[in-house]
Amino acid sequence: GGIITQTPKFLIGQEGQKLTLKCQQNFNHDTMYWYRQDSGKGLRLIYYSITENDLQKGDLSEGYDASREKKSSFSLTVTSAQKNEMAVFLCASTRTGGSSYEQYFGPGTRLTVL
Amino acid sequence: QQKVQQSPESLIVPEGGMASLNCTSSDRNVDYFWWYRQHSGKSPKMLMSIFSNGEKEEGRFTVHLNKASLHTSLHIRDSQPSDSALYLCAASGSGYNKLTFGKGTVLLVSP
């Protein structure tokens, strides 16, 4: 078994601010993901990484940067927070050859921009 | 254009009833379908996966897949209030490393 931890759990920012979210996993998984979920709806892929120092853009990468400096960690940066933005950011990981393996999710970071 | 379409958007079933959820992909390159369940305030957890044509049953949950039409359905019999959640369908293709999720179906099981 393993676990994914995300920090912080809640993040409150100001419009225009750069904000960083962190994710750690101890599954020893190669592939990690960042998703955004709005209002309890579906997940949209922001970035993913199939190995350390690899970055692949998802459908929603504009306005975000990501960093995978270690196999176990994956960070996401909101480059300029948008006013009244509210969303949950979910980190996930899976084994190598990820298309046929289950993704495991972290508990999420809830972002509010004032 | 949403590549994974789910229907209905929301569904209310009585306790003990049958819930049927649908999902179709418009991407002909997909090979794998997944159903995730997300309780309110929690993260999604994989419920069932199906990769071959036909049916797969696990307890009260049955999933069907028709690869020709890229349609999958999830059926929950003897629904319980604890089944109330957001059900997310996802699809992936061999050689891909990513899932495409639908917008989900909100299931409410009324006691």
Side-chain angles (χ1 to χ4, degrees):
Chain A
I3 192 168
I4 297 177
T5 55
Q6 292 187 238
T7 55
K9 190 169 181 177
F10 297 96
L11 183 55
I12 299 175
Q14 301 289 331
E15 183 182 13
Q17 195 174 359
K18 180 187 282 191
L19 303 166
T20 298
L21 294 70
K22 295 186 182 295
C23 175
Q24 296 260 3
Q25 53 94 4
N26 64 0
F27 286 102
N28 200 33
H29 285 163
D30 287 297
T31 307
M32 296 184 73
Y33 307 83
W34 276 107
Y35 292 94
R36 175 182 167 126
Q37 185 173 37
D38 292 272
S39 302
K41 296 297 185 184
L43 280 59
R44 290 184 289 172
L45 182 64
I46 305 172
Y47 268 98
Y48 68 104
S49 167
I50 60 175
T51 186
E52 63 181 82
N53 295 317
D54 174 75
L55 290 175
Q56 309 277 344
K57 290 184 178 181
D59 296 328
L60 201 67
S61 61
E62 190 168 335
Y64 302 95
D65 286 329
S67 172
R68 181 97 183 271
E69 292 168 354
K70 296 194 296 188
K71 184 176 181 178
S72 61
S73 66
F74 194 26
S75 299
L76 180 73
T77 298
V78 179
T79 56
S80 179
Q82 300 299 303
K83 188 174 175 63
N84 297 325
E85 181 176 6
M86 285 181 66
V88 176
F89 291 83
L90 292 163
C91 176
S93 71
T94 192
R95 292 172 59 182
T96 306
S99 58
S100 59
Y101 294 111
E102 174 184 356
Q103 287 189 16
Y104 294 86
F105 286 84
T109 291
R110 190 172 297 271
L111 171 67
T112 302
V113 182
L114 303 176
Chain B
Q1 182 186 359
Q2 190 75 16
K3 287 188 175 179
V4 175
Q5 300 271 9
Q6 289 188 246
S7 64
E9 285 188 15
S10 61
L11 180 62
I12 302 175
V13 299
E15 184 175 357
M18 171 77 85
S20 295
L21 291 69
N22 297 291
C23 172
T24 302
S25 172
S26 60
D27 183 351
R28 298 224 58 92
N29 293 313
V30 302
D31 286 309
Y32 311 113
F33 286 86
W34 309 81
W35 287 94
Y36 282 77
R37 182 166 70 177
Q38 184 178 25
H39 286 106
S40 181
K42 303 292 187 183
S43 57
K45 286 188 169 45
M46 200 271 286
L47 189 60
M48 292 185 74
S49 61
I50 188 162
F51 304 160
S52 305
N53 264 330
E55 178 181 299
K56 184 175 172 182
E57 182 177 331
E58 291 179 4
R60 298 183 295 109
F61 300 88
T62 302
V63 64
H64 295 267
L65 176 61
N66 180 328
K67 292 194 92 169
S69 61
L70 298 177
H71 178 262
T72 179
S73 57
L74 173 68
H75 305 272
I76 307 171
R77 62 176 171 81
D78 189 24
S79 297
Q80 301 298 308
S82 58
D83 294 327
S84 297
L86 176 67
Y87 288 78
L88 295 161
C89 174
S92 60
S94 58
Y96 293 176
N97 280 293
K98 58 181 185 175
L99 298 179
T100 299
F101 283 85
K103 292 186 176 181
T105 293
V106 176
L107 173 64
L108 177 63
V109 181
S110 59

Coordinates of all heavy atoms in Angstrom, one line a residue, chain A residues 35-89:
Chain A
Y35 N -4.8 17.4 -11.6 CA -6.1 17.6 -12.1 C -6.7 18.8 -11.4 O -6.4 19.1 -10.2 CB -7.0 16.4 -11.9 CG -6.7 15.2 -12.7 CD1 -5.9 14.2 -12.1 CD2 -7.2 15.0 -13.9 CE1 -5.6 13.0 -12.8 CE2 -6.9 13.8 -14.6 CZ -6.1 12.8 -14.1 OH -5.8 11.7 -14.7
R36 N -7.6 19.4 -12.1 CA -8.4 20.5 -11.5 C -9.9 20.0 -11.5 O -10.4 19.5 -12.5 CB -8.3 21.8 -12.3 CG -9.2 22.9 -11.8 CD -9.1 24.1 -12.7 NE -10.1 25.1 -12.4 CZ -10.0 26.3 -12.0 NH1 -8.7 26.9 -12.0 NH2 -11.0 27.1 -11.8
Q37 N -10.6 20.2 -10.4 CA -12.0 19.9 -10.3 C -12.8 21.1 -9.8 O -12.5 21.6 -8.8 CB -12.2 18.7 -9.4 CG -13.7 18.2 -9.4 CD -13.9 16.9 -8.6 OE1 -13.2 16.7 -7.5 NE2 -14.7 16.0 -9.0
D38 N -13.8 21.5 -10.6 CA -14.6 22.6 -10.3 C -16.0 22.1 -9.8 O -16.6 21.3 -10.5 CB -14.8 23.6 -11.5 CG -13.5 24.2 -11.9 OD1 -13.2 25.3 -11.3 OD2 -12.8 23.7 -12.7
S39 N -16.4 22.7 -8.7 CA -17.8 22.5 -8.2 C -18.3 21.0 -8.3 O -19.4 20.8 -8.7 CB -18.8 23.3 -9.0 OG -18.4 24.7 -9.0
G40 N -17.4 20.1 -7.8 CA -17.9 18.7 -7.8 C -18.1 18.1 -9.1 O -18.8 17.1 -9.3
K41 N -17.5 18.6 -10.2 CA -17.7 18.1 -11.5 C -16.5 17.3 -11.9 O -15.7 16.9 -11.1 CB -17.9 19.3 -12.5 CG -19.2 20.1 -12.2 CD -20.4 19.2 -12.4 CE -21.7 20.1 -12.3 NZ -22.9 19.3 -12.3
G42 N -16.4 17.0 -13.2 CA -15.4 16.1 -13.7 C -14.0 16.7 -13.6 O -13.8 17.9 -13.3
L43 N -13.0 15.8 -13.8 CA -11.6 16.2 -13.6 C -11.0 16.6 -14.9 O -11.2 16.0 -16.0 CB -10.8 15.0 -13.1 CG -10.9 14.8 -11.6 CD1 -12.3 14.5 -11.1 CD2 -10.0 13.6 -11.2
R44 N -10.2 17.7 -14.9 CA -9.5 18.1 -16.1 C -8.0 18.1 -15.8 O -7.5 18.6 -14.8 CB -9.9 19.6 -16.5 CG -11.4 19.6 -17.0 CD -11.8 21.0 -17.5 NE -11.9 21.9 -16.4 CZ -12.1 23.3 -16.6 NH1 -12.1 23.8 -17.8 NH2 -12.2 24.0 -15.5
L45 N -7.3 17.5 -16.8 CA -5.9 17.3 -16.6 C -5.1 18.5 -16.9 O -5.2 19.2 -17.9 CB -5.4 16.1 -17.5 CG -3.9 15.7 -17.5 CD1 -3.6 15.2 -16.1 CD2 -3.6 14.7 -18.6
I46 N -4.2 18.9 -16.0 CA -3.4 20.1 -16.1 C -2.0 19.7 -16.6 O -1.6 20.2 -17.7 CB -3.3 20.9 -14.8 CG1 -4.7 21.2 -14.2 CG2 -2.5 22.2 -15.0 CD1 -4.6 21.7 -12.8
Y47 N -1.3 18.9 -15.9 CA 0.0 18.4 -16.3 C 0.2 17.0 -15.8 O -0.5 16.6 -14.8 CB 1.1 19.3 -15.6 CG 1.6 20.4 -16.3 CD1 1.2 21.7 -16.1 CD2 2.6 20.3 -17.3 CE1 1.6 22.8 -16.8 CE2 3.1 21.4 -18.0 CZ 2.6 22.6 -17.7 OH 3.1 23.7 -18.4
Y48 N 1.0 16.2 -16.5 CA 1.4 15.0 -15.9 C 2.9 14.7 -16.2 O 3.5 15.4 -17.1 CB 0.5 13.8 -16.5 CG 0.7 13.5 -17.9 CD1 1.3 12.4 -18.4 CD2 0.0 14.2 -18.9 CE1 1.4 12.0 -19.7 CE2 0.0 13.9 -20.2 CZ 0.7 12.8 -20.6 OH 0.8 12.5 -22.0
S49 N 3.5 13.7 -15.6 CA 4.9 13.5 -15.7 C 5.1 12.0 -15.6 O 4.7 11.3 -14.7 CB 5.6 14.2 -14.5 OG 6.9 13.7 -14.4
I50 N 5.8 11.4 -16.6 CA 6.0 9.9 -16.6 C 7.3 9.5 -15.9 O 7.5 8.3 -15.7 CB 5.9 9.4 -18.0 CG1 7.0 10.0 -18.9 CG2 4.5 9.6 -18.6 CD1 7.0 9.3 -20.3
T51 N 8.2 10.4 -15.6 CA 9.4 10.1 -14.8 C 9.9 11.4 -14.3 O 9.5 12.5 -14.7 CB 10.4 9.4 -15.7 OG1 11.5 9.0 -14.9 CG2 10.9 10.3 -16.8
E52 N 10.9 11.4 -13.4 CA 11.4 12.6 -12.8 C 12.0 13.5 -14.0 O 12.6 12.9 -14.9 CB 12.4 12.4 -11.7 CG 13.6 11.7 -12.0 CD 14.5 11.5 -10.8 OE1 14.2 10.6 -10.0 OE2 15.4 12.3 -10.6
N53 N 11.8 14.8 -13.8 CA 12.3 15.8 -14.8 C 11.5 15.7 -16.1 O 11.9 16.4 -17.1 CB 13.8 15.7 -15.1 CG 14.6 16.0 -13.8 OD1 14.3 16.9 -13.1 ND2 15.6 15.2 -13.6
D54 N 10.5 14.9 -16.2 CA 9.6 14.9 -17.4 C 8.3 15.7 -17.1 O 7.8 15.6 -16.0 CB 9.2 13.5 -17.8 CG 8.2 13.4 -18.9 OD1 8.6 13.7 -20.1 OD2 7.0 13.2 -18.6
L55 N 7.9 16.5 -18.1 CA 6.6 17.2 -17.9 C 5.8 17.1 -19.2 O 6.4 17.3 -20.3 CB 6.9 18.7 -17.6 CG 7.4 19.0 -16.3 CD1 7.7 20.5 -16.2 CD2 6.5 18.6 -15.2
Q56 N 4.5 16.8 -19.1 CA 3.7 16.7 -20.3 C 2.4 17.6 -20.0 O 1.8 17.5 -19.0 CB 3.2 15.3 -20.5 CG 4.3 14.2 -20.5 CD 5.0 14.1 -21.9 OE1 4.4 14.6 -22.9 NE2 6.1 13.5 -21.9
K57 N 2.1 18.4 -21.0 CA 0.9 19.3 -20.8 C -0.4 18.5 -21.0 O -0.5 17.7 -21.9 CB 0.9 20.5 -21.8 CG 2.1 21.4 -21.5 CD 2.0 22.6 -22.5 CE 3.1 23.6 -22.2 NZ 3.1 24.8 -23.1
G58 N -1.4 18.9 -20.1 CA -2.7 18.3 -20.3 C -3.6 19.4 -21.0 O -3.1 20.3 -21.7
D59 N -4.9 19.2 -20.9 CA -5.8 20.1 -21.7 C -5.9 21.5 -21.1 O -6.4 22.4 -21.7 CB -7.2 19.4 -21.7 CG -7.2 18.1 -22.5 OD1 -6.4 18.0 -23.4 OD2 -8.0 17.2 -22.1
L60 N -5.5 21.6 -19.8 CA -5.7 22.8 -19.1 C -4.4 23.5 -18.6 O -4.4 24.1 -17.5 CB -6.6 22.5 -17.9 CG -7.4 23.6 -17.2 CD1 -8.5 24.2 -18.2 CD2 -8.1 23.1 -16.0
S61 N -3.3 23.3 -19.3 CA -2.0 23.7 -18.8 C -1.8 25.2 -18.8 O -0.9 25.7 -18.0 CB -0.9 23.1 -19.6 OG -1.0 23.5 -20.9
E62 N -2.5 26.0 -19.6 CA -2.3 27.4 -19.6 C -2.6 28.1 -18.3 O -3.7 27.9 -17.7 CB -3.2 28.1 -20.7 CG -2.8 29.5 -21.0 CD -3.5 30.1 -22.2 OE1 -3.8 29.3 -23.1 OE2 -3.7 31.3 -22.3
G63 N -1.7 28.9 -17.8 CA -1.8 29.5 -16.5 C -1.2 28.7 -15.3 O -1.3 29.1 -14.2
Y64 N -0.5 27.6 -15.7 CA 0.1 26.7 -14.7 C 1.5 26.3 -15.1 O 1.8 26.2 -16.3 CB -0.7 25.4 -14.5 CG -2.2 25.7 -14.1 CD1 -3.2 25.7 -15.0 CD2 -2.5 25.8 -12.7 CE1 -4.5 25.9 -14.6 CE2 -3.8 26.1 -12.3 CZ -4.8 26.1 -13.3 OH -6.1 26.3 -12.9
D65 N 2.3 26.1 -14.1 CA 3.6 25.5 -14.4 C 3.7 24.3 -13.4 O 3.0 24.2 -12.4 CB 4.8 26.4 -14.0 CG 5.0 27.5 -15.0 OD1 4.7 27.3 -16.2 OD2 5.4 28.6 -14.7
A66 N 4.6 23.3 -13.8 CA 4.8 22.1 -13.0 C 6.2 21.8 -12.8 O 7.1 22.3 -13.7 CB 4.0 21.0 -13.5
S67 N 6.6 21.0 -11.8 CA 7.9 20.6 -11.6 C 8.0 19.2 -11.0 O 7.3 18.9 -10.0 CB 8.6 21.6 -10.6 OG 9.9 21.2 -10.2
R68 N 8.9 18.4 -11.6 CA 9.0 17.0 -11.0 C 10.5 16.8 -10.9 O 11.2 16.2 -11.7 CB 8.4 16.0 -12.0 CG 8.6 14.5 -11.5 CD 7.3 14.1 -10.9 NE 7.4 12.7 -10.4 CZ 7.2 11.6 -11.1 NH1 6.8 11.7 -12.3 NH2 7.2 10.4 -10.5
E69 N 11.0 17.2 -9.7 CA 12.4 17.1 -9.4 C 12.8 15.8 -8.8 O 14.0 15.4 -8.9 CB 12.9 18.2 -8.5 CG 12.8 19.6 -9.3 CD 12.9 20.8 -8.3 OE1 13.0 20.6 -7.1 OE2 12.9 21.9 -8.8
K70 N 11.9 15.1 -8.2 CA 12.1 13.7 -7.6 C 11.0 12.8 -8.1 O 9.9 13.2 -8.4 CB 12.1 13.8 -6.1 CG 13.2 14.6 -5.5 CD 13.3 14.3 -4.0 CE 12.0 14.7 -3.2 NZ 12.2 14.5 -1.8
K71 N 11.3 11.5 -8.1 CA 10.3 10.6 -8.4 C 9.0 10.7 -7.5 O 7.9 10.5 -8.0 CB 10.8 9.1 -8.4 CG 9.9 8.0 -8.8 CD 10.6 6.7 -8.8 CE 9.7 5.6 -9.3 NZ 10.3 4.3 -9.3
S72 N 9.3 10.9 -6.2 CA 8.2 10.9 -5.3 C 7.4 12.2 -5.2 O 6.4 12.2 -4.5 CB 8.7 10.6 -3.9 OG 9.7 11.6 -3.5
S73 N 7.8 13.3 -5.8 CA 7.1 14.5 -5.6 C 6.9 15.3 -7.0 O 7.6 15.1 -7.9 CB 7.9 15.5 -4.7 OG 9.1 15.8 -5.3
F74 N 5.7 16.0 -6.9 CA 5.3 16.7 -8.1 C 4.6 18.0 -7.7 O 3.7 17.9 -6.8 CB 4.3 15.8 -8.9 CG 3.9 16.2 -10.3 CD1 4.8 16.9 -11.1 CD2 2.7 15.8 -10.9 CE1 4.5 17.3 -12.4 CE2 2.4 16.1 -12.2 CZ 3.3 16.9 -12.9
S75 N 5.1 19.1 -8.1 CA 4.6 20.4 -7.7 C 3.8 21.1 -8.8 O 4.2 20.9 -10.0 CB 5.7 21.3 -7.2 OG 6.4 20.8 -6.1
L76 N 2.9 21.9 -8.5 CA 2.1 22.7 -9.4 C 2.1 24.1 -9.0 O 1.8 24.4 -7.8 CB 0.6 22.2 -9.5 CG -0.3 22.9 -10.5 CD1 0.1 22.5 -11.9 CD2 -1.7 22.5 -10.2
T77 N 2.3 25.0 -9.9 CA 2.3 26.5 -9.6 C 1.2 27.1 -10.4 O 1.2 27.0 -11.7 CB 3.6 27.1 -9.9 OG1 4.6 26.6 -9.1 CG2 3.6 28.6 -9.6
V78 N 0.3 27.9 -9.7 CA -0.6 28.7 -10.4 C 0.1 30.0 -10.7 O 0.5 30.7 -9.7 CB -1.9 29.0 -9.5 CG1 -2.8 29.9 -10.2 CG2 -2.5 27.6 -9.1
T79 N 0.4 30.4 -11.9 CA 1.3 31.5 -12.2 C 0.7 32.9 -11.8 O 1.4 33.8 -11.4 CB 1.7 31.5 -13.6 OG1 0.6 31.5 -14.5 CG2 2.5 30.2 -13.9
S80 N -0.6 33.0 -11.9 CA -1.3 34.3 -11.6 C -2.7 34.0 -11.2 O -3.6 33.8 -12.1 CB -1.2 35.2 -12.8 OG -1.9 36.5 -12.5
A81 N -3.0 33.9 -10.0 CA -4.3 33.5 -9.5 C -5.4 34.5 -10.0 O -5.2 35.7 -10.0 CB -4.4 33.4 -8.0
Q82 N -6.5 33.9 -10.4 CA -7.6 34.7 -11.0 C -8.7 35.0 -9.9 O -9.0 34.1 -9.1 CB -8.3 33.9 -12.1 CG -7.4 33.5 -13.2 CD -6.9 34.8 -13.9 OE1 -7.6 35.6 -14.4 NE2 -5.5 34.9 -14.0
K83 N -9.1 36.2 -9.8 CA -10.1 36.7 -8.8 C -11.3 35.8 -8.8 O -11.8 35.4 -9.9 CB -10.5 38.1 -9.1 CG -11.3 38.7 -7.9 CD -11.5 40.2 -8.2 CE -12.4 40.9 -7.2 NZ -11.9 40.8 -5.8
N84 N -11.8 35.4 -7.6 CA -13.0 34.6 -7.4 C -12.9 33.2 -7.9 O -13.8 32.5 -8.0 CB -14.2 35.3 -8.1 CG -14.6 36.6 -7.5 OD1 -14.4 36.8 -6.3 ND2 -15.0 37.5 -8.3
E85 N -11.6 32.8 -8.2 CA -11.4 31.4 -8.6 C -11.6 30.5 -7.4 O -11.1 30.7 -6.3 CB -10.0 31.3 -9.2 CG -9.6 29.9 -9.6 CD -8.2 29.9 -10.3 OE1 -7.5 30.9 -10.2 OE2 -7.9 28.8 -10.8
M86 N -12.3 29.4 -7.6 CA -12.4 28.4 -6.5 C -12.4 27.0 -7.2 O -13.1 26.8 -8.2 CB -13.8 28.5 -5.8 CG -13.8 29.7 -4.8 SD -15.4 29.7 -4.0 CE -15.3 28.2 -3.0
A87 N -11.5 26.2 -6.8 CA -11.4 24.8 -7.3 C -10.7 23.9 -6.4 O -10.0 24.4 -5.5 CB -10.7 24.9 -8.7
V88 N -10.8 22.6 -6.6 CA -10.0 21.6 -5.9 C -9.0 21.1 -6.9 O -9.3 20.7 -8.0 CB -10.9 20.5 -5.3 CG1 -10.0 19.4 -4.7 CG2 -11.9 21.1 -4.4
F89 N -7.7 21.0 -6.4 CA -6.6 20.5 -7.2 C -6.3 19.1 -6.7 O -5.9 19.0 -5.5 CB -5.4 21.4 -7.3 CG -5.7 22.7 -8.0 CD1 -6.4 23.7 -7.4 CD2 -5.4 22.8 -9.3 CE1 -6.6 24.9 -8.1 CE2 -5.7 24.0 -10.0 CZ -6.3 25.0 -9.4

